[in-house]
Amino acid sequence: MRIEEEHEDVLQNIEFAVAALFKRNPDMTDYAVLRTYEALVEAYSAEVTGRATKPVEASGLEAELCRNVRAMCEWRLGRGEMPTTQDDAPKCDPIDTPTLVLCLKRLVKSVKKWTKHGGRQGYLNFMTPFLR
């Protein structure tokens, strides 16, 4: 089974963190999302292999995006609280770190595809209508 079929909920949770910030910052670009996803692939891959992680160098909107997406990832790993103010948020079984890395890699692939297809906000404009 493909990762997007087996863990659609994880992909949606991560994309929800992106979509929420995009809604408040309509000038955000796919590039910021791509850098965030790639940085988190690197960080969580390093965790799996026991390597030291490189610090993420981001500022402003990109730094906020990275914090929000990482918070969602940590929640899905079972290591943090639901990063939203919804009291009725569903309970989810934690996933393992290698699965999270596969989900993030799939999202990287999606960003590249939709940016190529739709320009600098192709991915953002593609995925946000599904998450409202």
Side-chain angles (χ1 to χ4, degrees):
M1 186 178 289
R2 294 169 31 181
I3 195 74
E4 60 268 24
E5 295 166 354
E6 190 173 351
H7 294 288
E8 180 181 13
D9 59 326
V10 176
L11 299 172
Q12 287 176 341
N13 290 151
I14 294 168
E15 289 183 322
F16 179 79
V18 173
L21 192 58
F22 179 50
K23 183 177 179 180
R24 295 189 318 268
N25 299 277
D27 291 336
M28 189 164 82
T29 65
D30 291 357
Y31 181 70
V33 179
L34 181 62
R35 281 184 35 95
T36 295
Y37 288 164
E38 288 176 337
L40 292 173
V41 165
E42 174 62 32
Y44 287 115
S45 293
E47 181 180 309
V48 168
T49 60
R51 293 181 286 120
T53 60
K54 297 186 304 187
V56 176
E57 294 190 22
S59 60
L61 181 62
E62 196 172 314
E64 184 178 358
L65 179 62
C66 194
R67 281 191 304 274
N68 292 356
V69 174
R70 183 183 290 275
M72 187 63 76
C73 291
E74 289 294 308
W75 174 67
R76 288 311 313 241
L77 289 168
R79 304 192 294 209
E81 295 296 317
M82 174 66 169
T84 170
T85 58
Q86 297 176 352
D87 293 331
D88 60 343
K91 300 293 182 214
C92 297
D93 291 330
I95 61 171
D96 61 15
T97 308
T99 300
L100 177 63
V101 170
L102 290 175
C103 289
L104 289 165
K105 285 181 177 181
R106 178 61 186 97
L107 291 171
V108 165
K109 186 176 177 182
S110 184
V111 173
K112 289 178 179 180
K113 172 187 176 179
W114 290 105
T115 302
K116 184 176 180 180
H117 180 71
R120 62 187 219 97
Q121 291 183 321
Y123 169 74
L124 291 164
N125 290 324
F126 167 76
M127 66 92 170
T128 51
F130 295 105
L131 301 170
R132 295 181 188 215

